[in-house]
Amino acid sequence: MSPTPTDLASSVEPAHAGAPASRTVQPSVAGQPLSSDALLAGRTAVTIEHLGERYVLRATRSGKLILTK
């Protein structure tokens, strides 16, 4: 059974530094998009760890997404 967007959103690290990750994100099935609403889960930013590096994904007031290292 594939994880739902809600399952994935709850496993993303909080946007503030030093917060522990709740669990590991399961890879999504190729071709199935993950909604930004599910990923952000009501927040304006989330921290994403990828290959040992941390990135911040932010939603702007104009509805754009910005990914920074």
Side-chain angles (χ1 to χ4, degrees), residues 3-66:
T4 66
T6 303
D7 293 336
L8 292 173
S10 66
S11 65
V12 175
E13 292 183 23
H16 48 86
S22 59
R23 60 186 151 149
T24 303
V25 175
Q26 298 296 317
S28 64
V29 176
Q32 288 186 343
L34 177 61
S35 112
S36 61
D37 289 336
L39 185 60
L40 293 168
R43 298 168 289 211
T44 57
V46 292
T47 300
I48 302 168
E49 188 168 316
H50 176 69
L51 300 174
E53 298 285 338
R54 288 189 177 214
Y55 297 83
V56 177
L57 179 67
R58 297 183 197 284
T60 67
R61 284 182 245 157
S62 62
K64 308 243 185 222
L65 294 175
I66 299 173

